[in-house]
Amino acid sequence: MGLHEKHEYFVSWEELHRATRELARRQLPAEQWRGIIAVSRGGLVPAAILARELNIRLVESVCVRSYAHQSQSAKPEMLKDVSCSEDGAGFIVIDDLVDTGNTLRFLRERLPKAKFITVYAKPDGLPLVDEYEADIDQNTWIHFPWDMRLHYVDPLAGEDR
């Protein structure tokens, strides 16, 4: 692979659920947690799975903008802060992916005592995450199931032979 060659990785709903459930299993016992903070938008679905698996009812969201489609902005912007915690103590902060780490670096300043977990992690963001489920190459763009739709694909050999 060339230095700047980009790859794509497509995540199915089943794969995301399996990976997030495994991540949840490693957060047991559930009693140690006061709640979950989802990083909107990518962390919303994993947070719902985590909340179900750990039987946690307190689920909050924090809204940070650090991407504009497929390019990352220089400085994250807080659109909505959490109201349930001053420093994050007793909370899991979950996102779908840590890429460069800009979003989590920004949130760690706001919630220094929270545990930060992601389903997927790229090398540049690894130092900012406490736990994750799957490694992804830095030059890979991940397509999550909520960004895609199913449609018919022609057979490789074509139709009506």
Side-chain angles (χ1 to χ4, degrees):
M1 175 169 84
L3 183 61
H4 297 290
E5 187 177 340
K6 294 279 185 183
H7 290 283
E8 293 180 291
Y9 182 69
F10 294 85
V11 177
S12 69
W13 284 110
E14 292 80 8
E15 180 184 346
L16 179 77
H17 191 269
R18 182 212 52 80
T20 307
R21 191 167 192 267
E22 175 56 28
L23 192 59
R25 186 189 62 74
R26 295 200 312 267
Q27 308 315 309
L28 293 171
E31 296 75 29
Q32 68 183 309
W33 305 113
R34 291 176 49 209
I36 296 167
I37 299 170
V39 180
S40 178
R41 292 177 310 218
L44 294 171
V45 171
I49 296 167
L50 207 66
R52 184 217 182 251
E53 296 300 332
L54 297 177
N55 200 21
I56 293 174
R57 303 275 178 193
L58 179 55
V59 180
E60 172 79 79
S61 67
V62 61
C63 304
V64 178
R65 181 180 14 224
S66 59
Y67 276 94
H69 187 53
Q70 291 190 4
S71 64
Q72 199 164 24
S73 61
K75 184 178 185 302
E77 175 188 2
M78 180 76 77
L79 301 175
K80 178 196 156 294
D81 200 354
V82 294
S83 59
C84 60
S85 177
E86 289 186 20
D87 60 7
F91 282 83
I92 298 170
V93 175
I94 185 163
D95 205 351
D96 56 353
L97 165 73
V98 62
D99 189 331
T100 62
N102 286 344
T103 300
L104 294 190
R105 185 175 297 109
F106 178 75
L107 289 174
R108 275 195 179 276
E109 290 178 15
R110 167 65 184 88
L111 302 162
K113 293 187 178 178
K115 181 173 186 180
F116 284 77
I117 66 174
T118 60
V119 183
Y120 300 96
K122 293 184 178 183
D124 287 356
L126 275 179
L128 293 153
V129 99
D130 297 311
E131 200 166 334
Y132 67 99
E133 178 57 21
D135 291 292
I136 298 292
D137 185 77
Q138 195 67 44
N139 291 326
T140 298
W141 184 262
I142 300 179
H143 296 276
F144 287 98
W146 51 82
D147 291 328
M148 299 179 288
R149 64 180 180 185
L150 297 176
H151 62 88
Y152 177 79
V153 176
D154 290 327
L156 292 174
E159 304 240 8
D160 297 334
R161 290 187 47 160

